[in-house]
Amino acid sequence: MKQRLAAIGTVETLPHRVAAFLSREIESGELNPGARLPTEQELSEKFGVSRNVVREAIAQLRADGMIEARQGIGAFVLAPEQRAAIRIDREALKDTHNMERLFELRCILEAESAALAAARRGQEHLDSIKAALDRMGGEERWEEGSIDADLLFHREIARATGNSYIHTFISFVCEQIRQSIHYARMTNPLHDLVEINVGEHVRIYEALVAGDPAAAEAAMRTHIIGAANRVGVKLPLSKTGGTK
Amino acid sequence: MKQRLAAIGTVETLPHRVAAFLSREIESGELNPGARLPTEQELSEKFGVSRNVVREAIAQLRADGMIEARQGIGAFVLAPEQRAAIRIDREALKDTHNMERLFELRCILEAESAALAAARRGQEHLDSIKAALDRMGGEERWEEGSIDADLLFHREIARATGNSYIHTFISFVCEQIRQSIHYARMTNPLHDLVEINVGEHVRIYEALVAGDPAAAEAAMRTHIIGAANRVGVKLPLSKTGGTK
DNA sequence: TCAATCCAAGTTGTAGGATGATATACATCA
DNA sequence: TGATGTATATCATCCTACAACTTGGATTGA
């Protein structure tokens, strides 16, 4: 419900559309780093909007460190490594290959974080993780609420590391994945898969309770690879086979 | 040189300052999720700026998914998990404890990525990594150029994973760290430390050449812990002691 | 009294113009 | 030649006005 409202609020506003257009042009390489953007006036004429709209669009891109505006000269495209923010293009995630990469990143982040969490978790963390687990396996299965609980489970583990940056990054990546597979989840509501999913979570939780970092890491790795498979993403072995 | 200009270009513009202020208020919890922001007019009066400036500031926050504006009603604070972008507060990194957390995150990301890179790198990757290594140990030591080369070395390894998201995330984290310790590097230009730093990079490179994921991961982990120490950050054991 | 309708005020979205600050290129002059 | 000033282009900021939208209360009618 709330989600619905948020979605409606995200209607394309003019500055957003202009920013998206410029952003695409930069990402696609039509505007290389160092290149100068058209002047605000030219852009406002080109898009048929007021200069204020163009300025708001540029303000967004500038905040991300995508472009740099210099008074009296113009606005220039910056190199990707100078970005001040990370933003993931939702469109690009429709490509399975990109989704695969994102899952790989998630696996790296969450596996080691699970190990950290196992070593550092307090009782309160275990409680909130358990609460999420119960909600996930509760009456609501594979519904909106269940997915929320799934995400919350992972976020709470990230929180148990005591590292706010880890929490932020994991929350972000998970949310990107969740919203991108939003459409696909109704197609495979197979109960077998749900059972498997819950079971994997239980094993992670047990490792955390035991305070066993290696077990937590392994369980998390197994789970994420499995989760990727369940949404149709074949994850390449993110770890070199546990040969260590 | 270019870096210098970029730094000057980042002078605090009015919208940026307003956005930073509001962002602080949200992060600190003074404005809870769901709360309504003051109207644009009130904000413009409060900060003594025009409404346009306020609007540009809000445009930034909205692009990040921090707030949601609804015509005719007002602007509201969104929950952290709905954020569309990751941004790290440079001010917060002045606190050593936060810097420590960021290094920990970096260690997680880079260690496993080094293992991936060792398994997937092609000859072209090895070449560009070697080029960065040479520049680092070249005539320019611990100068601007040397630090650039250091960063490039890490970015090229991230690129060798073949995963663009990993590359993006690692580049981002490294850049945040680099800019935050910008002032500190002149204070410890001890040549011993430089030698150690280069030596650690060489060992990583050798593991990549050998195609040995485990060795690459271990070398990278050692290096990042060492790098943290060299800028005065004592990293807690990010891995549970290699007891696996 | 109660309900439906309409209207007015408040808020964000967009437009357009005016002025100040800054950088570049060119002309001017010693 | 070299320094200086001027013209111009561009972004930064401000201002006013109106459109679109939401809310709540006033009005109206039964």
Side-chain angles (χ1 to χ4, degrees):
Chain A
M1 182 79 85
K2 246 183 178 176
Q3 218 64 22
R4 198 59 162 281
L5 288 179
I8 292 179
T10 328
V11 247
E12 276 186 349
T13 173
L14 285 182
H16 181 265
R17 263 155 61 178
V18 173
F21 184 91
L22 293 176
S23 175
R24 285 292 164 85
E25 262 190 333
I26 293 176
E27 295 290 355
S28 72
E30 290 180 58
L31 285 172
N32 292 315
R36 200 190 125 194
L37 269 67
T39 68
E40 294 179 350
Q41 194 172 5
E42 284 171 344
L43 288 174
S44 77
E45 288 170 5
K46 174 177 178 182
F47 293 110
V49 299
S50 84
R51 214 168 63 86
N52 272 337
V53 169
V54 173
R55 281 196 61 79
E56 284 191 29
I58 290 182
Q60 295 178 22
L61 300 180
R62 193 157 57 158
D64 289 353
M66 241 177 175
I67 70 177
E68 170 191 18
R70 288 163 66 187
Q71 191 168 345
I73 311 181
F76 301 85
V77 179
L78 289 181
E81 54 268 19
Q82 303 188 32
R83 303 284 159 81
I86 294 182
R87 189 182 301 282
I88 289 181
D89 184 3
R90 200 65 54 78
E91 286 298 312
L93 285 182
K94 288 180 179 171
D95 178 358
T96 308
H97 198 58
N98 282 324
M99 183 59 89
E100 184 181 307
R101 289 170 172 147
L102 193 54
F103 262 106
E104 185 172 77
L105 172 60
R106 183 188 168 190
C107 191
I108 290 177
L109 280 170
E110 290 216 58
E112 289 216 30
S113 298
L116 278 184
R120 300 177 181 171
R121 91 285 182 281
Q123 187 56 46
E124 50 150 348
H125 299 127
L126 290 178
D127 290 344
S128 49
I129 293 171
K130 181 65 160 57
L133 189 58
D134 289 342
R135 270 186 53 203
M136 201 172 1
E139 71 274 38
E140 26 174 12
R141 327 204 106 199
W142 214 248
E143 297 298 326
E144 193 70 38
S146 171
I147 295 183
D148 281 347
D150 192 325
L151 238 78
L152 186 59
F153 179 86
H154 288 273
R155 281 211 311 273
E156 288 299 320
I157 292 178
R159 200 166 63 81
T161 64
N163 186 322
S164 57
Y165 294 118
I166 290 178
H167 180 253
T168 300
F169 274 60
I170 287 181
S171 295
F172 178 71
V173 171
C174 287
E175 188 64 29
Q176 298 305 312
I177 290 178
R178 167 251 220 7
Q179 295 199 16
S180 295
I181 63 176
H182 202 263
Y183 62 95
R185 96 191 139 190
M186 284 312 180
T187 66
N188 314 9
L190 304 178
H191 283 300
D192 295 352
L193 297 185
V194 178
E195 298 298 341
I196 294 174
N197 189 51
V198 173
E200 287 175 359
H201 282 90
V202 169
R203 275 193 289 282
I204 296 171
Y205 173 69
E206 288 171 349
L208 292 177
V209 171
D212 184 340
E217 180 175 339
M220 181 63 86
R221 216 176 281 277
T222 301
H223 166 55
I224 292 180
I225 292 175
N229 280 333
R230 284 191 285 280
V231 295
V233 176
K234 181 175 53 72
L235 205 59
L237 229 35
S238 150
K239 199 67 176 185
T240 56
T243 60
K244 47 183 172 181
Chain B
M1 182 80 84
K2 244 181 177 177
Q3 219 62 24
R4 197 61 162 278
L5 288 179
I8 293 179
T10 328
V11 262
E12 276 185 347
T13 175
L14 286 182
H16 180 265
R17 265 154 61 177
V18 173
F21 184 92
L22 292 176
S23 176
R24 286 290 165 84
E25 263 191 333
I26 292 175
E27 295 290 354
S28 72
E30 289 180 58
L31 284 172
N32 292 314
R36 198 190 129 192
L37 267 67
T39 69
E40 294 179 352
Q41 193 173 7
E42 284 171 346
L43 289 174
S44 78
E45 287 170 6
K46 175 177 177 182
F47 293 110
V49 299
S50 83
R51 200 178 140 224
N52 269 339
V53 170
V54 173
R55 281 194 60 80
E56 283 191 28
I58 290 183
Q60 295 176 207
L61 300 179
R62 193 157 58 157
D64 288 352
M66 238 176 184
I67 70 177
E68 170 191 17
R70 300 184 28 207
Q71 190 168 345
I73 311 181
F76 301 84
V77 179
L78 289 181
E81 53 268 19
Q82 302 188 32
R83 303 283 159 81
I86 294 182
R87 190 182 303 282
I88 289 181
D89 184 3
R90 200 66 55 76
E91 285 299 313
L93 285 184
K94 288 181 179 170
D95 179 357
T96 306
H97 198 57
N98 281 325
M99 182 59 87
E100 183 181 307
R101 289 170 172 149
L102 193 53
F103 262 107
E104 185 171 77
L105 172 59
R106 182 187 169 192
C107 191
I108 291 177
L109 280 170
E110 290 216 58
E112 289 217 29
S113 297
L116 279 185
R120 299 178 184 171
R121 89 287 184 281
Q123 186 56 47
E124 50 150 348
H125 298 126
L126 291 179
D127 291 343
S128 48
I129 293 171
K130 181 64 160 57
L133 188 57
D134 290 340
R135 270 186 54 202
M136 201 171 2
E139 70 273 40
E140 26 176 13
R141 327 205 105 197
W142 214 246
E143 296 298 326
E144 193 70 39
S146 171
I147 296 183
D148 280 347
D150 191 323
L151 236 80
L152 187 59
F153 179 86
H154 287 273
R155 281 211 311 274
E156 287 300 319
I157 292 178
R159 201 166 63 82
T161 63
N163 186 322
S164 57
Y165 294 118
I166 290 179
H167 180 253
T168 300
F169 275 60
I170 288 182
S171 295
F172 178 70
V173 171
C174 287
E175 188 65 28
Q176 299 304 312
I177 291 178
R178 168 250 220 5
Q179 296 198 14
S180 294
I181 64 176
H182 202 264
Y183 63 95
R185 98 192 137 190
M186 285 310 181
T187 66
N188 315 7
L190 303 178
H191 283 301
D192 295 353
L193 296 184
V194 178
E195 299 297 341
I196 294 174
N197 188 51
V198 173
E200 287 175 359
H201 282 89
V202 169
R203 275 194 288 282
I204 296 171
Y205 174 68
E206 288 170 349
L208 292 177
V209 171
D212 184 341
E217 179 174 342
M220 180 63 85
R221 216 177 282 276
T222 301
H223 166 56
I224 292 180
I225 293 175
N229 280 332
R230 285 191 283 279
V231 296
V233 175
K234 183 175 53 69
L235 206 58
L237 228 35
S238 152
K239 198 68 175 185
T240 55
T243 59
K244 49 182 173 181

